[in-house]
Amino acid sequence: MKMNKFLVTASTALLLTTVLAGCGGSKKDEGAAADKKTNRELAELTDEEITLTMTSWFESDWMEFMAQKFTEKHPNIKVDFIDLSEAENYNDGLSNLAADQKLPDVFGYNSNCDLPILNGWFYDFTDLWGADKEAANMLDTLQNQGRFDGERMMAAAVNYYPYAVFIDENLLKKENVAMPSADYTYSDLVDLVKKMTIPEKKIFGYEGGSQWLTMAPIIEQDAIGEFGWDGKKYDLTKDWADALTQMAEFQRSGVRAPDGGTDEAEAAYGNRDAWGPATGQVAVKLGAWWDKNTFETDEYKNKGINYVPYTIPKGDNGKEEHKPAYIDMAGISSATEHPREAYELLKFMGWGADGWDARMEFYKGQKDADANYLPPVLPLTNEQKYWDQMLELLPKNEYYTNFMKHARQPIPLGGRVLPGFETWINEVYFNGEYGNVESAVIEGKVNAHDVAPELTEKADTYHQEAMDELFAQ
């Protein structure tokens, strides 16, 4: 496996030299724990007039507001937001900036951590992180996710969008089925979608994609990454294989609602183009936090549809509340002339208290302007006051309150944090010997348990080869 396809131009080799030089303070025998024990403090910010640049694919209004608030806090530091929303592909836009030696001081990257690592874009901020007392406030499961080599801090979380399960409370009441408890388990959810599959009434258990096989290894194995990643290796042999086998059975037995645009949809809903959750015939929608913006509307309420949010369930065998989430990550440019100030900006955009004060001001302003506005993310910090403030902006019911209580241990999806993952999933999982392996199992062409050992072995191999190539020194 070669990763040279991610290199943007030869000129970025200069950045690689810079980032490796910046890593000199991190020895392999010290590891991630060392910087937690330091008594050092962050250096003071410069009092010189400087300009920092930043970019990401996040909402531009929010980004510009945050840039303004950062400058209000630090009047000598101007922040220029580079908008790449017009770029056909965000990562391509970022690559073009890097090729022109204009990589922003703080930048988000989309999906694939191999790209910025291979091109040497990341500044190693291990020492700054270790001296930052606020770093310990970040949600526990995210604190070390930016240590791509297991040691050096190269990126950090800046946005958190949880996976979510939406259950139509009205439909369950109609069928005299009790709502799950807030601390429900994976098997509870499986039982629920089976019970709520009522063919004679054209009611379906759930609508969704591959959430079952994404959640199962994480919640059952207390994994810290996708596909059972435990920090050293993957494991698809048990929970992934079980979940995909269950998905295939759900598809065949009519538990899963038909997709729009199919003959099955027309037979079920009387409208070929209908979306199951909009019909009032689907009990559970497996999705993400942003789906609340669809369901908390008059369109759904007037139809008598009342989807309420639950977190992903706890594993039957899990001890923690690890749950898959969409986590936006960002880093500091290895070419920055102001690493200390860039770190402060990254913290402001991610986990810092000053930044969360600014975020809540923005969200509250949006709510004042539009009573139907719902904040798009959950806090990245353990500071309870921000969770309380966020809850105040959400619908007032037990479901949102309970969601916030059980959403404190997010686990990022693979490519954002696991070297080699994107290459493996594209070359092996979706386009390998079995084609799309999920489709192959669901269509009955292969058995999930038969192919799981090989998939696991290749995932581990791709990861190790990526580590050897990305971090060879």
Side-chain angles (χ1 to χ4, degrees), residues 373-395:
Y373 175 83
L374 299 172
V377 299
L378 291 188
L380 287 165
T381 170
N382 279 310
E383 287 199 52
Q384 185 60 38
K385 68 176 182 178
Y386 298 115
W387 290 82
D388 293 340
Q389 290 172 20
M390 190 73 75
L391 187 59
E392 286 298 311
L393 302 179
L394 295 169

Side-chain angles (χ1 to χ4, degrees), residues 138-143 145 160-163 215 218-219 221-225 311-315 318-327 378-382 387 403-413:
M138 183 179 278
L139 295 176
D140 296 349
T141 52
L142 298 179
Q143 289 187 16
Q145 291 286 357
Y160 165 28
Y161 309 87
Y163 267 40
M215 74 170 91
I218 292 174
I219 65 177
Q221 300 172 33
D222 291 330
I224 61 173
T311 59
I312 292 296
K314 191 176 187 296
K319 297 179 181 179
E320 305 292 339
E321 284 201 291
H322 292 187
K323 303 176 191 294
Y326 298 97
I327 303 294
L378 291 188
L380 287 165
T381 170
N382 279 310
W387 290 82
F403 194 105
M404 301 288 270
K405 291 178 180 178
H406 294 277
R408 303 296 184 97
Q409 295 183 327
I411 300 298
L413 302 184

